[in-house]
Amino acid sequence: MGVVDMTNPPTKDFFASPALSLSLAGIFRDAGATAAAATASASMEVEEGDEGSGGGGGSGSKKDDTVEISSENSGPARSRSEDDLLDHDDDEDDADKSKKKKRKKYHRHTADQIREMEALFKESPHPDEKQRQQLSKQLGLAPRQVKFWFQNRRTQIKAIQERHENSLLKQELEKLRDENKAMRETINKACCLNCGMATTAKDGSITAEEQQLRIENAKLKAEVEKLRTVIGKYPPGASTTGSCSSGNDQENRSSLDFYTGIFGLEKSRIMEIVNQAMEELQKMATAGEPLWVRSVETGREILNYDEYVKELSVESSSNGRPKRSIEASRETGVVFLDLPRLVQSFMDANQWKEMFPCIISKAATVDVICHGEAPNKNGAVQLMFAELQMLTPLVPTREVYFVRYCKQLSAEQWAIVDVSIDKVEENIDASLVKCRKRPSGCIIQDTTNGHCKVIWVEHLECQKNTVHTLYRTIVRSGLAFGARHWMATLQHQCERLVFFMATNVPTKDSTGVATLAGRKSILKLAQRMTWSFCHSIGASSYHTWNKVSTKTGEDIRVSSRKNLNDPGEPHGVIVCAVSSVWLPVSPTLLFDFLRDESRRSEWDIMSNGGPVQSIANLAKGKDRGNAVTIQAMKSKENSMWVLQDSCTNAFESMVVFAHVDVTGIQSVITGCDSSNMAILPSGFSILPDGLESRPLVISSRHEKSNDTEGGSLLTVAFQILTNSSPTAKLTMESVESVNTIVSCTLRNIKTSLQCEDG
């Protein structure tokens, strides 16, 4: 053991010795010899003598993790040469005091001693008392010196880890800055893909790429907070090699667990808010009059807002925001689906989007605040994003961030509540805070035979904006995004799922398809076709819609896109033309007319007036209108097959169809996989106009009556492949072609239903 006499100050050459320089980069480059050289610079141990000052007397396991550093050495990366100078100066200044105390001894370990301790450190960074005793005898060192060496070595490793983690964090922050810069440039330089004209950000619309960047930006912020908490969890100098499970626990923790910077609220505050929201949801779902009053004219329940503020002690939430409208609705229904699967469909963003394809155009889980109890998700809390749409480009989408909380109320009852939180959504993206969710959601009661009773409450606070006159009534009445719409869609989708999984389908409900595998394959293809249709005709930021003037005066919107690699659609340039009109025809009559294959030639210009033959008819619901059919249109030249999916529920109806390859659809009928079959859907969306008391509307083809059922809002959409090359440019001829198809189809429908003047 070498002893350095510090009564004589070290020479300049001594401090310039390369063995005394601590290089973290050297440790990263060489974990062997370089690590030993770096350790040599930190291997000069202090022995306090009999007084035992400095906390080295204890030998408990907890004390081993505490790194003892003198007050001068406040940083783990300080070089030993600096420590020697400070200690030497301190000895000269306190020369009188040092006479009363036993002089300190400084020990420098030999290369062999360091090599042996390094070898043990690689095997066991935390040697026990027995190992330290054995090593001290082997090296001729005191057990305390061995203990101090291992403590200092752990401190060096911790310093290296912290610097590496800081570097990762810095890279993440730089990435966020670059993304924010790219988003700003996108806004400033945005232009229309169809016409090339510059667009402005004043209309509040954003591109699909920008919106996706915003969602990814929010996720990255959450990841940065997790990295930040890894570093901030431990004080400087503390060991990170404690519990082996701490790393796994960290992965399951939210960015809100420790940090309060980005989202502005601690996890405890988030939990307090969602629990209050859960209590409010239960009251809103179960209370009767005077909180909810039933309308004499429409039969719908109306929220008594004054009573709501009084009973639930709700404060005004204006806070200087622009004037907002309140939409509140409640609906009760029974769905044919078991409770666990129903709860899972709400907690998984993709399943939730698939359950409501006509309402949700985008959905994402931004951050998981609490995972809940596996596998039923009881107590799960997650921050989510959703873009809500109507099946028309005339109604702007609603983008909302909210926290979703799932809780089991009893053995047979669950509740799922959504609530927007001011600081959370404003810090993620303040520009999108135009629609907020007050406590909304559903109470799910398990009944019998796989059925569930659902009470749905929808409570929104939206900034008032301009809505097209056709849809102003249905939107401002709260019907468009209200509880009735959500409930009707949920019941329809659950029923479709039951019929899809059924194995005992009556023959009359499955004609033209001989096998169960063929039936499932056809239903799956029809479902994908309808999802694609819903995705293609809304006002989502996926699309850029341009108004096109026509000779006949129809309001037609056109968008285009290029399919490069999606096997589910034809490759090339695709043009979509959409037009929405009001017709003085009941939604039921209009739906029956459009889905009737015997009357298809009255409106479909592609049939050329020829007969239509039914090849297959598969029921997918109790209502006869919910069915998938395969139709053959015969002409002089050839026979063309059409796959049609008709859907109807208590709120809206759709008829979606696509021309299919005869050979391809025949293989699907036999049970072959349909996932790679290219299909380009067109179709109709039918909504009530929201004026239930409108008199004198057509209720049948030849008679009129004072029916309380209002007129219909019909959206017609056609998609065509204009060029099979994705690099081709959109031409005016292709735009005029698809416009002609839409105009002629609308004119034929009005003529057949005798409502040309509607």
Side-chain angles (χ1 to χ4, degrees):
M1 174 174 61
V3 178
V4 178
D5 187 1
M6 293 303 293
T7 57
N8 295 317
T11 64
K12 182 177 180 180
D13 293 338
F14 174 80
F15 287 108
S17 174
L20 296 177
S21 59
L22 177 61
S23 171
L24 295 182
I27 292 176
F28 282 125
R29 287 194 301 268
D30 190 347
T34 310
T39 308
S41 66
S43 63
M44 188 163 54
E45 306 299 338
V46 180
E47 189 168 311
E48 294 286 8
D50 297 335
E51 294 180 11
S53 61
S59 60
S61 59
K62 290 185 179 180
K63 294 290 184 180
D64 289 347
D65 290 339
T66 303
V67 180
E68 299 175 2
I69 303 175
S70 65
S71 60
E72 295 88 1
N73 185 14
S74 57
R78 176 173 294 176
S79 68
R80 286 296 170 180
S81 59
E82 293 174 350
D83 293 342
D84 294 340
L85 278 173
L86 289 170
D87 288 337
H88 171 64
D89 293 338
D90 185 70
D91 286 346
E92 284 188 337
D93 293 338
D94 300 329
D96 294 336
K97 295 180 180 179
S98 64
K99 295 179 181 179
K100 300 178 182 179
K101 295 183 179 180
K102 188 174 180 179
R103 186 174 301 279
K104 297 178 181 179
K105 294 181 181 180
Y106 296 86
H107 305 280
R108 185 170 305 285
H109 302 312
T110 65
D112 292 336
Q113 291 172 338
I114 294 172
R115 191 181 302 109
E116 292 296 329
M117 288 188 286
E118 279 287 354
L120 180 59
F121 184 85
K122 291 178 181 179
E123 297 178 2
S124 176
H126 291 269
D128 54 26
E129 184 68 25
K130 183 178 179 181
Q131 288 175 307
R132 289 200 299 268
Q133 291 284 356
Q134 183 178 354
L135 187 60
S136 64
K137 292 179 181 179
Q138 179 182 344
L139 302 179
L141 297 173
R144 193 173 170 193
Q145 290 177 293
V146 176
K147 173 184 172 182
F148 285 165
W149 186 92
F150 275 87
Q151 288 180 0
N152 290 337
R153 189 74 179 97
R154 289 194 296 267
T155 303
Q156 288 180 346
I157 298 299
K158 177 63 170 63
I160 294 170
Q161 291 173 344
E162 286 182 346
R163 289 193 178 186
H164 182 59
E165 289 164 352
N166 279 327
S167 176
L168 291 177
L169 181 57
K170 185 177 180 180
Q171 292 175 13
E172 290 292 337
L173 292 175
E174 288 297 329
K175 184 188 292 184
L176 283 177
R177 290 193 186 98
D178 292 341
E179 289 192 358
N180 284 329
K181 182 179 178 181
M183 287 166 55
R184 292 191 190 98
E185 292 177 353
T186 302
I187 295 172
N188 294 333
K189 300 179 181 179
C191 64
C192 175
L193 297 177
N194 294 323
C195 64
M197 297 294 291
T199 60
T200 62
K202 294 181 179 179
D203 60 357
S205 63
I206 58 176
T207 64
E209 292 80 5
E210 182 186 349
Q211 188 182 62
Q212 189 62 34
L213 275 174
R214 294 185 181 203
I215 298 173
E216 293 299 324
N217 202 25
K219 292 182 178 180
L220 282 172
K221 286 179 179 179
E223 290 301 318
V224 167
E225 298 320 314
K226 291 177 182 178
L227 277 173
R228 193 190 299 272
T229 56
V230 170
I231 297 172
K233 179 180 176 182
Y234 303 98
S239 172
T240 59
T241 56
S243 172
C244 295
S245 62
S246 61
N248 294 332
D249 292 341
Q250 185 64 38
E251 292 178 0
N252 294 327
R253 305 186 79 164
S254 162
S255 60
L256 299 173
D257 274 353
F258 303 106
Y259 187 67
T260 60
I262 289 267
F263 299 130
L265 292 173
E266 295 180 354
K267 179 182 175 183
S268 59
R269 178 58 182 153
I270 296 285
M271 298 305 298
E272 180 183 346
I273 292 174
V274 297
N275 278 303
Q276 291 174 353
M278 182 66 73
E279 293 178 5
E280 180 174 325
L281 173 66
Q282 294 181 65
K283 291 179 182 178
M284 293 278 285
T286 56
E289 293 188 0
L291 185 62
W292 293 94
V293 181
R294 191 169 294 278
S295 169
V296 177
E297 294 181 353
T298 64
R300 299 200 310 268
E301 289 184 308
I302 301 173
L303 179 67
N304 184 343
Y305 192 74
D306 293 336
E307 187 66 25
Y308 165 76
V309 174
K310 175 183 174 183
E311 185 172 329
L312 297 175
S313 303
V314 178
E315 298 180 359
S316 176
S317 59
S318 58
N319 296 332
R321 297 193 188 100
K323 191 173 181 181
R324 292 170 176 259
S325 61
I326 303 296
E327 299 175 6
S329 55
R330 183 172 71 175
E331 193 76 16
T332 302
V334 176
V335 299
F336 196 175
L337 196 67
D338 60 281
L339 192 147
R341 185 178 298 182
L342 189 57
V343 171
Q344 176 63 28
S345 67
F346 281 97
M347 300 310 294
D348 184 283
N350 290 328
Q351 292 184 32
W352 183 52
K353 177 184 174 183
E354 292 174 357
M355 186 69 79
F356 301 94
C358 54
I359 306 176
I360 303 173
S361 54
K362 293 181 182 179
T365 300
V366 177
D367 192 22
V368 177
I369 300 170
C370 180
H371 287 265
E373 300 174 4
N376 55 19
K377 297 287 187 179
N378 181 29
V381 182
Q382 52 198 37
L383 177 63
M384 301 184 72
F385 166 80
E387 182 186 63
L388 309 180
Q389 68 170 3
M390 291 187 67
L391 296 182
T392 174
L394 300 184
V395 178
T397 57
R398 294 181 174 183
E399 298 159 330
V400 57
Y401 283 94
F402 57 92
V403 176
R404 174 164 289 178
Y405 177 36
C406 173
K407 183 180 180 181
Q408 184 175 10
L409 304 179
S410 65
E412 292 83 23
Q413 193 176 59
W414 286 70
I416 296 171
V417 65
D418 299 338
V419 61
S420 294
I421 300 177
D422 288 339
K423 286 188 177 181
V424 170
E425 57 186 2
E426 288 171 5
N427 278 290
I428 289 176
D429 196 342
S431 66
L432 297 182
V433 189
K434 298 177 182 178
C435 180
R436 302 181 68 254
K437 279 202 171 194
R438 293 188 176 186
S440 307
C442 54
I443 307 292
I444 307 172
Q445 177 76 40
D446 191 9
T447 55
T448 55
N449 298 329
H451 288 73
C452 290
K453 177 185 177 182
V454 179
I455 305 175
W456 196 296
V457 175
E458 199 65 26
H459 197 180
L460 298 172
E461 177 185 333
C462 299
Q463 183 177 322
K464 288 188 176 181
N465 55 7
T466 304
V467 180
H468 194 280
T469 52
L470 278 178
Y471 290 87
R472 191 168 297 163
T473 300
I474 193 172
V475 170
R476 293 186 175 176
S477 65
L479 285 173
F481 299 97
R484 182 185 175 193
H485 193 182
W486 289 96
M487 177 62 74
T489 305
L490 178 65
Q491 289 176 315
H492 171 73
Q493 292 294 325
C494 290
E495 187 178 76
R496 177 198 59 77
L497 184 60
V498 169
F499 270 72
F500 175 78
M501 300 300 295
T503 56
N504 54 344
V505 182
T507 305
K508 64 181 181 65
D509 291 336
S510 185
T511 59
V513 181
T515 64
L516 188 62
R519 172 185 168 82
K520 286 189 174 183
S521 189
I522 291 291
L523 291 179
K524 188 178 294 185
L525 177 61
Q527 182 184 31
R528 175 164 66 86
M529 178 179 69
T530 301
W531 282 347
S532 175
F533 177 77
C534 294
H535 186 270
S536 301
I537 69 171
S540 170
S541 56
Y542 282 124
H543 318 294
T544 301
W545 295 101
N546 294 310
K547 186 175 180 179
V548 179
S549 58
T550 60
K551 297 177 181 179
T552 53
E554 286 94 353
D555 184 355
I556 298 179
R557 310 294 169 104
V558 176
S559 73
S560 65
R561 66 182 186 275
K562 296 180 179 181
N563 180 29
L564 301 177
N565 49 21
D566 182 6
E569 282 187 343
H571 289 183
V573 180
I574 299 171
V575 178
C576 179
V578 181
S579 182
S580 297
V581 297
W582 176 81
L583 296 178
V585 181
S586 71
T588 303
L589 174 66
L590 183 58
F591 173 68
D592 288 339
F593 166 72
L594 292 173
R595 73 179 183 86
D596 188 353
E597 61 197 40
S598 65
R599 303 187 66 182
R600 186 181 190 96
S601 59
E602 295 182 32
W603 58 264
D604 190 352
I605 62 174
M606 301 296 290
S607 67
N608 295 320
V612 177
Q613 177 187 356
S614 177
I615 303 298
N617 191 317
L618 309 178
K620 60 185 184 71
K622 291 184 290 186
D623 190 297
R624 61 188 178 89
N626 288 313
V628 175
T629 59
I630 300 175
Q631 304 166 7
M633 294 186 294
K634 297 183 178 180
S635 63
K636 296 179 180 179
E637 293 80 11
N638 55 8
S639 179
M640 184 167 49
W641 284 24
V642 174
L643 176 67
Q644 177 175 295
D645 184 15
S646 57
C647 317
T648 185
N649 57 50
F651 183 79
E652 66 184 337
S653 302
M654 282 188 293
V655 177
V656 184
F657 59 90
H659 297 278
V660 293
D661 176 66
V662 176
T663 305
I665 197 68
Q666 286 176 339
S667 66
V668 174
I669 291 176
T670 62
C672 294
D673 182 28
S674 62
S675 57
N676 290 326
M677 184 174 181
I679 197 164
L680 192 60
S682 300
F684 309 95
S685 168
I686 305 167
L687 286 172
D689 59 7
L691 302 175
E692 289 91 339
S693 58
R694 180 188 292 273
L696 297 174
V697 299
I698 300 173
S699 59
S700 66
R701 190 175 184 183
H702 299 293
E703 61 180 295
K704 297 182 179 181
S705 67
N706 292 330
D707 199 336
T708 58
E709 190 174 19
S712 300
L713 296 174
L714 172 66
T715 297
V716 182
F718 278 88
Q719 298 189 95
I720 62 171
L721 180 69
T722 63
N723 198 306
S724 58
S725 173
T727 59
K729 293 184 178 180
L730 183 63
T731 62
M732 285 305 300
E733 289 78 6
S734 59
V735 173
E736 291 174 359
S737 297
V738 72
N739 285 348
T740 301
I741 296 175
V742 172
S743 298
C744 292
T745 302
L746 279 173
R747 185 168 60 252
N748 291 343
I749 292 173
K750 292 178 180 180
T751 301
S752 296
L753 296 177
Q754 301 177 1
C755 54
E756 293 90 342
D757 297 332

